[in-house]
Amino acid sequence: MSEPRPLAVFDIDGVLADVRHRLHHLQSRPQRWNAFFLAADSDPLLEEGAARLRAAQAKHDVIYLTGRPERNRALTTAWLAAHGLPTGPLHMRPDDDFRPARWVKRNTLRRLARTHTIASVLDDDPAVVAVLSADGWPV
């Protein structure tokens, strides 16, 4: 039995998906997270992120680790497919988990690292990058 290939872990929002058109939902008080996520189907593709993902596929298994809630799985997989990207594996936040993304992603990476080598993590959120870097992940 061969060992699994190392993982290249990609965030979606801000890495592959251009979210600028929906940021206004988070600039209001209270923040409208549900509206923010529901508008994701019209995100333009960030070509640099897509190029990095395609390059990573040569040596790694690519997975997605997103702060999007599970209820947005169908929307997210449809968006990935529409942009010619693999549709999974896709690790999403449980619908009832309201912790900051940095803690959700840290827990998921720790679980994945039990069975896989994490080769790289690409994320645009400075708080996520800080926590994962402090843990020693190659961010």
Side-chain angles (χ1 to χ4, degrees):
M1 189 164 159
S2 65
E3 194 169 311
R5 293 191 331 157
L7 297 180
V9 180
F10 282 78
D11 180 28
I12 297 175
D13 293 328
V15 173
L16 298 169
D18 184 345
V19 301
R20 289 178 290 184
H21 71 98
R22 53 190 171 104
L23 287 175
H24 64 94
H25 294 296
L26 303 183
Q27 293 163 345
S28 66
R29 293 289 180 254
Q31 293 176 317
R32 298 184 312 267
W33 283 101
N34 198 47
F36 174 78
F37 289 123
L38 285 174
D41 61 344
S42 58
D43 290 349
L45 180 68
L46 291 170
E47 292 295 341
E48 181 181 350
R52 287 178 181 234
L53 184 145
R54 290 182 185 109
Q57 287 179 303
K59 294 183 180 179
H60 307 99
D61 286 340
V62 169
I63 68 160
Y64 303 106
L65 179 54
T66 180
R68 292 180 181 190
E70 184 65 41
R71 67 183 171 273
N72 289 94
R73 181 172 292 274
L75 178 152
T76 302
T77 56
W79 184 89
L80 291 165
H83 290 284
L85 299 173
T87 56
L90 174 58
H91 297 269
M92 303 183 82
R93 158 199 311 269
D95 286 336
D96 60 351
D97 188 342
F98 301 105
R99 293 175 298 154
R102 61 188 173 270
W103 308 125
V104 175
K105 291 181 178 187
R106 172 197 246 180
N107 288 352
T108 302
L109 275 180
R110 287 178 173 177
R111 183 174 38 80
L112 289 168
R114 293 181 198 144
T115 56
H116 293 81
T117 299
I118 308 298
S120 64
V121 180
L122 192 59
D123 201 295
D124 69 310
D125 182 337
V128 171
V129 170
V131 165
L132 299 183
S133 294
D135 274 3
W137 302 109
V139 183

